Amino acid sequence: MDRGGPAGARRHVLLLPEYLKDASKKMKSGLMFVKLVNPCSGEGTIYLFDLCLQQLFEIKVFKEKHHSWFIDQSVQSGGLLHFATPMDPLFLLLHYLRKADKEGKFQPLDQVVLDDTFPNCILLLRLPDLEKLLQHVTEEKEVDKKKYYKYSKEKTIKWLGKKVQQTVSALKTNNVNVSARVQATAFFSGDPFSSDKEEDYVCYAHGLISDYIPKELSDDLAKYLKLPEPSVPLPSPPSKGLHNELLQSLRAITLNLKYECPCTFPAFVFVQGSHVVEKFRDFSRAEPALRCFFPDRRKQQPGSEGGFTSC
Amino acid sequence: MESSEEAAVEKCRVHLRPGTLRDAARATLHLLPCEVLVNRPAPVDRFFTPAIRQGPDGLEVSFRGRKLRGEEVVVPPGLVGYVMAMEEQGEVSMEKDFSEGDEREEQERAEPREALERDFDQFIGAIASFSRFTLWGLETIPGPDAKVRGALTWPSLAAAIHAQVPED
């Protein structure tokens, strides 16, 4: 450790549900970050499994340009803030069910959830109540006490419609969620949503849900919800706008365990807007390459600043 | 990185050491409105913290000739903040030797070869925890419209999105 060990290492600032801490008392292992296919983008994305609680979490990262952390007696570039929140595993299973549907037959789940690129997907099979979940998106057959499943688009759209509805009611009734909408709206320069029309809520919820399904399903869902055709390129289409503002602050990043940061930049740079105000030279010695847990922003998908991503 | 190693990334699991979630000491965090392009120790308590003043409407600090205005941001209820660090591969740190070595042996006895941990896997642990941090704005108080405050409402929105839908 000629660099002073952990002192020079990359830190990750992460918000976790408090119950993970309590559950950790009973466990020695089973909490793990793995890369799985993102059901929306199809790219590798980080999720967190708690095999003790049998729960799946998605990881999103909040990132705003020109921010950094002071963490005790150290400085950390990027100012990233990660969130781990419980995730419905059905969104991930749906990816495999749709893929398997091309074969057009009923199959057992363990033959559907297979992935050469992301073999950790088999961890999904350890989650509880999968049979119950699958009823929402598949037709099933039982032969010799073994269940066989086939993707059902009709059921899936109906299930997604319910997801939208419950998201809408959460937006309306839950104070925090309503304020989230207000804040998300406030991100806009021109606020096109001055009224709280039902359609705005539905558009917003549709945008949120669309982050977990492929575009084709998202379009079908929009038709099912009778949302206006997105063909008219409004300056800020409702679902896109709100969705982008909140969620692009929380941008999905791709876990790249081996990524080496060429952290050979100069130093403190104070920035106001995009204008460099002043440079500082303290802490300015070049940093050796560091292994990053999460990728550098240059490896992330393009998107707006101050946004969310899933990991 | 060689392509073989790139491929291994997709298979790799990064195990979060559960014990570190309980043992992590409290840390003081400041989210600064500036870029710092290095990750390294910094004498925060010598130059930054002592300069913080309570102004009429929030915290103030003069930092390298720039005025920063700040305020406390509390982590939403039900969440805990952690600072995590990857364990270097091949690094058998002193800490790990005496704090986790026994646990791992114990675990191997208790859970014979569940094979959750493989040779090529990596480990990450919490090195500190926090329940609040100081958010700084350049010249102005970040205020209720600060983007990070919007982000902090994400967990409750995510809960609605991912809640199970009722049966028919």
Side-chain angles (χ1 to χ4, degrees):
Chain A
M1 292 289 94
D2 52 7
R3 288 198 287 109
R10 176 120 195 130
R11 309 291 198 226
H12 309 285
V13 181
L14 178 69
L15 298 184
L16 285 180
E18 203 162 15
Y19 59 76
L20 283 185
K21 178 182 170 183
D22 303 329
S24 71
K25 283 174 193 151
K26 298 184 209 100
M27 63 197 299
K28 296 278 165 62
S29 69
L31 256 183
M32 59 184 101
F33 294 97
V34 298
K35 209 168 183 183
L36 302 174
V37 68
N38 183 306
C40 175
S41 68
E43 289 176 11
T45 299
I46 307 217
Y47 298 89
L48 174 67
F49 274 98
D50 186 325
L51 291 180
C52 181
L53 293 172
Q54 295 188 295
Q55 214 176 354
L56 171 73
F57 300 84
E58 73 171 326
I59 312 291
K60 284 188 182 282
V61 61
F62 175 79
K63 164 180 174 287
E64 197 173 359
K65 235 178 176 177
H66 312 310
H67 279 74
S68 319
W69 288 106
F70 274 160
I71 302 169
D72 284 337
Q73 304 309 304
S74 72
V75 61
Q76 186 63 234
S77 66
L80 302 184
L81 179 60
H82 298 83
F83 291 75
T85 53
M87 170 153 184
D88 187 343
L90 198 46
F91 286 120
L92 293 180
L93 294 171
L94 200 52
H95 169 86
Y96 292 103
L97 289 161
R98 280 169 50 88
K99 215 166 122 190
D101 190 47
K102 297 197 171 92
E103 294 174 39
K105 56 183 185 189
F106 286 81
Q107 294 182 72
L109 195 59
D110 55 7
Q111 284 177 31
V112 171
V113 185
L114 287 174
D115 196 325
D116 289 340
T117 315
F118 304 106
N120 284 313
C121 70
I122 55 165
L123 292 171
L124 291 167
L125 299 175
R126 290 178 174 236
L127 297 172
D129 302 325
L130 292 182
E131 287 191 7
K132 208 172 130 198
L133 291 181
L134 288 168
Q135 289 173 4
H136 292 299
V137 298
T138 63
E139 303 291 346
E140 63 176 61
K141 277 184 183 173
E142 194 171 327
V143 180
D144 295 335
K145 291 190 177 167
K146 191 166 169 86
K147 299 248 187 179
Y148 293 77
Y149 301 93
K150 189 175 183 306
Y151 169 66
S152 160
K153 185 171 150 184
E154 295 69 32
K155 290 178 98 174
T156 300
I157 293 289
K158 218 175 139 197
W159 170 69
L160 291 170
K162 288 181 186 171
K163 281 274 182 195
V164 167
Q165 280 315 317
Q166 74 185 22
T167 305
V168 165
S169 15
L171 289 168
K172 285 181 181 171
T173 59
N174 181 320
N175 282 335
V176 185
N177 285 331
V178 170
S179 77
R181 179 178 181 275
V182 170
Q183 289 185 19
T185 319
F187 290 165
F188 287 87
S189 39
D191 179 3
F193 314 109
S194 46
S195 67
D196 285 352
K197 285 194 303 181
E198 178 71 15
E199 191 178 272
D200 293 342
Y201 281 110
V202 176
C203 278
Y204 184 31
H206 173 263
L208 290 171
I209 300 295
S210 293
D211 226 34
Y212 301 96
I213 51 177
K215 183 165 186 311
E216 189 195 331
L217 260 185
S218 169
D219 292 346
D220 289 339
L221 180 61
K223 278 185 208 136
Y224 174 81
L225 296 167
K226 301 189 176 62
L227 292 180
E229 287 285 324
S231 54
V232 189
L234 298 169
S236 264
S239 76
K240 270 296 167 213
L242 278 171
H243 166 77
N244 280 353
E245 281 301 331
L246 180 63
L247 292 192
Q248 290 201 352
S249 287
L250 276 176
R251 296 195 45 232
I253 59 171
T254 309
L255 175 63
N256 187 341
L257 301 166
K258 302 282 182 180
Y259 181 67
E260 301 283 332
C261 285
C263 293
T264 50
F265 303 101
F268 268 178
V269 181
F270 253 116
V271 178
Q272 200 169 33
S274 60
H275 173 65
V276 177
V277 176
E278 198 171 346
K279 290 187 181 180
F280 294 87
R281 292 202 180 78
D282 291 38
F283 321 127
S284 65
R285 267 165 287 168
E287 187 74 0
L290 298 165
R291 172 170 294 144
C292 290
F293 173 34
F294 297 108
D296 183 84
R297 57 177 170 268
R298 282 160 294 178
K299 287 230 167 171
Q300 295 173 15
Q301 301 156 14
S304 71
E305 60 186 86
F308 268 140
T309 35
S310 52
C311 273
Chain B
M1 283 290 129
E2 299 82 352
S3 56
S4 60
E5 287 196 39
E6 289 289 349
V9 168
E10 316 295 328
K11 298 183 174 60
C12 184
R13 296 170 179 172
V14 180
H15 300 272
L16 171 55
R17 295 197 186 275
T20 63
L21 297 182
R22 300 189 298 274
D23 304 337
R26 289 275 155 172
T28 306
L29 276 77
H30 298 272
L31 186 53
L32 303 171
C34 61
E35 285 187 61
V36 183
L37 296 166
V38 295
N39 305 311
R40 54 176 302 143
V44 177
D45 268 356
R46 212 164 67 189
F47 297 112
F48 185 78
T49 319
I52 298 174
R53 302 271 174 270
Q54 182 68 51
D57 22 60
L59 302 170
E60 296 176 2
V61 69
S62 177
F63 184 52
R64 297 284 159 181
R66 309 288 306 184
K67 188 176 184 183
L68 305 187
R69 314 256 319 260
E71 58 191 352
E72 289 289 303
V73 173
V74 177
V75 169
L79 297 174
V80 188
Y82 286 103
V83 180
M84 305 224 174
M86 293 289 288
E87 289 173 13
E88 290 287 326
Q89 259 173 340
E91 165 202 6
V92 184
S93 72
M94 304 259 287
E95 190 189 340
K96 203 162 86 192
D97 268 349
F98 63 77
S99 72
E100 307 233 43
D102 291 347
E103 279 191 19
R104 282 221 279 172
E105 280 167 31
E106 226 173 79
Q107 173 208 331
E108 277 171 22
R109 282 197 298 270
E111 301 169 34
R113 297 293 82 204
E114 219 193 330
L116 286 177
E117 295 172 13
R118 294 85 46 94
D119 288 346
F120 55 91
D121 283 351
Q122 298 191 26
F123 291 86
I124 191 169
I127 54 168
S129 67
F130 63 96
S131 56
R132 59 183 62 233
F133 60 88
T134 310
L135 176 65
W136 294 97
L138 187 55
E139 309 288 352
T140 53
I141 287 243
D145 292 338
K147 286 181 179 173
V148 70
R149 287 195 186 274
L152 289 171
T153 65
W154 168 247
S156 51
L157 196 54
I161 294 167
H162 294 285
Q164 293 307 317
V165 305
E167 301 289 324
D168 279 323

